[in-house]
Amino acid sequence: MRVLKFGGTSVGIPANFEIAVRRVREASAHDPVVVVSALAGVTNLLADYCREPAERERLSSALIERHLTFSLDAGVSAESLRASLEDWRAEHALRLRDPHPLTGEPRDRVLSHGERLSATIFAAGLRNDGVEARAVEAGAAGLVTDDRFGAAHPLPEAAALLRRGLGPRPPVPVVTGFLGRTTDGRITTLGRGGSDFSAAVIGAALDADEIQIWTDTSGMMSADPRIVPEARPVAHLSFTEASELATFGARVLHPKTLLPAIERDIPVRVLNTSNPRDPGSLITATTTPAAESWRVKSIASKKGLTAVTIVSTRMLLAHGFLARVFEVFGRHHVVVDLVTTSEVSISVTIEDDSRLEAALAELEGIGRVEVRRDLAVVAVVGEGAPQRIGLAGHVFTLLGGVGVAVEMISQGASRVNLSFVVREDDAEKCVRLLHRGLGLDVEPASTTAGAARA
Ligand code: ADP
Ligand code: ASP
Ligand code: MG
């Protein structure tokens, strides 16, 4: 079987919707299972709905209008949407009574309507095209998760439940991305951008021969095309390269997407719904073909980071110092990205600093603590690239040439990723500069030509 996941722009623009429906019809010999995101912009709208009690009436009308108009444009009858819209109206009636911002469980319930409406429309679109299909809410199909609302993680038993819940086929299941359910039946979400992860979890559970991520770019590109318009698709990446890029800000894949694919060794393909003939990117366990192995493949960046430095002349070399620091972060559920150490200090970067305050109070008992905000990490990724003699020198010479201050550098044990931290305002400049400076804007001609450039 094969999983085809369509993101918000793929299901939220009528011309792309038609192409997406056709892709599923053409995949019928591969026993397709479809995963869909909410229509483009809808999850943001629902997040605003949760945040702004005074705006709920207006936003609810906008939500209903958006789906009715879209269905009309996509040739799907309003009747097909009736039950899903009724579910929404019931939710809205309940939430209107609550004058507070919604968080946790009620927020996840509200957000879930984006994917539920979109799955309903997509399944109806498939049936219009002669494909037997049914919309399924992921939790009802067996995607059980823990109860960390807003960032839920699938439970091990989800695999067996999904195998049962998604058969027999056809009809083709059109599963809501982004959603799960606790074992006692409460809807959860997997984190923003989580539909990619849903697709991979389902692909692994059903032992897919391929997981296809259909989006608005022709694969994983050499940089975010919104930052670097001349970015080029990367034909082939290893699981590790793609994971590093996703972790360090390449939004095209949710950072957890590759985990289930790695476990079951399932190839992941990233494809462009608007240009379905483009080859896209293939992501597999095997390393890069030799001709490209010299090469930095892509540069990612992620803003909104906070760096915490703990300085302790007294403690650093003492037994258990690092363990104590990480025990504090762990206990407060603070996720650490990058780590660098010197003889008297340790610095870490943190993406989500919502739980940081409590951890800081404890860290102050270990050493002097410095916090810097509004930072970004830039990651230069390519299997083997960081080990190339001269790459680090080249990167930091380029940055020095334009006066960018580098706050932290991490290469660590990774053979794949050279990353560094800069001020947030400098991040895009760095990505553009390195993309050109490392030759990513030109086609890899041969190993020799590439080596000369690097
Ligand atoms: P979808 O709705 O299909 O899930 P997303 O908006 O979540 O799409 O992800 C696609 C976007 O990711 C692209 O439009 C692009 O701006 C961004 N992006 C960031 N880094 C990369 C990259 N290396 N390759 C491709 N896209 C990237
Ligand atoms: N609709 C959700 C979001 O916008 C999930 C996804 O698109 O992957 O975050
Ligand atoms: Mg996405």
Side-chain angles (χ1 to χ4, degrees):
M1 62 80 56
R2 183 167 289 183
V3 178
L4 290 83
K5 177 263 170 176
F6 295 96
T9 50
S10 304
V11 287
I13 296 172
N16 286 350
F17 183 85
E18 228 173 88
I19 301 175
V21 164
R22 205 176 322 138
R23 289 280 81 77
V24 178
R25 178 159 42 79
E26 287 168 1
S28 59
H30 295 281
D31 180 19
V33 170
V34 176
V35 175
V36 289
S37 296
L39 309 192
V42 165
T43 308
N44 286 343
L45 184 154
L46 289 167
D48 290 347
Y49 179 99
C50 293
R51 211 172 20 244
E52 310 280 357
E55 296 291 314
R56 290 202 181 130
E57 202 61 81
R58 180 181 66 78
L59 291 169
S60 171
S61 304
L63 180 83
I64 294 168
E65 178 62 27
R66 168 102 164 88
H67 288 89
L68 286 174
T69 308
F70 183 80
S71 304
L72 196 70
D73 291 345
V76 168
S77 72
E79 179 54 26
S80 325
L81 262 188
R82 198 170 48 80
S84 300
L85 283 176
E86 261 166 33
D87 286 350
W88 166 253
R89 288 192 181 97
E91 185 85 52
H92 175 55
L94 186 69
R95 302 308 166 195
L96 265 186
R97 281 185 239 134
D98 187 341
H100 303 106
L102 303 173
T103 58
E105 185 180 339
R107 181 174 187 271
D108 277 7
R109 254 205 93 78
V110 165
L111 295 186
S112 75
H113 287 272
E115 269 68 13
R116 287 154 70 183
L117 283 157
S118 149
T120 304
I121 297 175
F122 201 89
L126 281 173
R127 289 194 296 270
N128 281 353
D129 211 42
V131 179
E132 246 190 288
R134 65 181 174 112
V136 200
E137 191 216 304
L143 210 167
V144 286
T145 70
D146 59 24
D147 62 358
R148 289 190 32 212
F149 294 97
H153 196 81
L155 299 174
E157 54 267 40
L161 292 170
L162 282 166
R163 275 194 291 281
R164 213 172 317 137
L166 292 175
R169 300 181 297 272
V172 173
V174 179
V175 188
T176 58
F178 184 47
L179 310 181
R181 269 194 207 177
T182 58
T183 45
D184 57 1
R186 294 170 296 153
I187 289 185
T188 54
T189 64
L190 309 184
R192 292 303 306 268
S195 296
D196 306 318
F197 185 34
S198 309
V201 168
I202 290 169
L206 273 57
D207 207 13
D209 58 28
E210 187 168 298
I211 297 163
Q212 297 187 340
I213 306 291
W214 290 87
T215 184
D216 63 352
T217 62
S218 290
M220 280 200 107
M221 312 285 283
S222 51
D224 184 342
R226 287 174 213 213
I227 299 176
V228 182
E230 60 276 18
R232 312 166 51 82
V234 183
H236 190 193
L237 299 102
S238 68
F239 284 136
T240 321
E241 289 171 330
S243 292
E244 294 279 316
L245 288 168
T247 304
F248 287 99
R251 186 168 52 121
V252 62
L253 285 185
H254 183 275
K256 288 184 184 172
T257 310
L258 276 321
L259 296 175
I262 291 168
E263 260 168 41
R264 306 300 296 260
D265 198 13
I266 302 171
V268 175
R269 225 179 258 279
V270 182
L271 295 152
N272 190 339
T273 309
S274 305
N275 293 305
R277 302 280 161 239
D278 285 357
S281 297
L282 177 64
I283 306 167
T284 59
T286 52
T287 48
T288 341
E292 272 191 24
S293 63
W294 59 271
R295 197 178 156 93
V296 170
K297 288 192 179 166
S298 182
I299 303 168
S301 64
K302 187 166 70 172
K303 293 184 178 178
L305 297 192
T306 298
V308 178
T309 301
I310 302 124
V311 186
S312 172
T313 39
R314 185 172 50 89
M315 281 297 294
L316 188 77
L317 294 176
H319 168 82
F321 172 77
L322 292 180
R324 268 183 76 192
V325 169
F326 285 106
E327 190 276 325
V328 173
F329 284 129
R331 196 156 25 78
H332 291 280
H333 300 283
V334 175
V335 179
V336 165
D337 276 342
L338 280 184
V339 182
T340 63
T341 56
S342 78
E343 206 159 312
V344 291
S345 69
I346 168 168
S347 297
V348 304
T349 63
I350 285 152
E351 186 178 354
D352 172 6
D353 64 4
S354 57
R355 298 169 198 258
L356 190 57
E357 286 309 315
L360 288 180
E362 283 191 45
L363 290 173
E364 269 150 17
I366 303 179
R368 181 162 54 79
V369 179
E370 288 165 15
V371 178
R372 279 165 300 155
R373 295 185 198 272
D374 303 323
L375 299 175
V377 62
V378 177
V380 176
V381 173
E383 200 93 49
Q387 278 66 41
R388 285 191 61 80
I389 292 172
L391 179 75
H394 194 173
V395 165
F396 295 114
T397 304
L398 286 167
L399 297 179
V402 294
V404 169
V406 177
E407 310 257 341
M408 269 170 81
I409 300 173
S410 169
Q411 180 171 328
S414 163
R415 292 184 48 79
V416 174
N417 183 0
L418 170 68
S419 40
F420 57 90
V421 174
V422 293
R423 283 197 314 272
E424 204 170 67
D425 296 343
D426 283 334
E428 293 181 1
K429 177 162 82 174
C430 292
V431 174
R432 279 192 283 267
L433 179 74
L434 294 179
H435 193 269
R436 201 170 335 109
L438 298 175
L440 295 197
D441 50 347
V442 291
E443 180 116 35
S446 73
T447 312
T448 341
R453 241 191 335 261

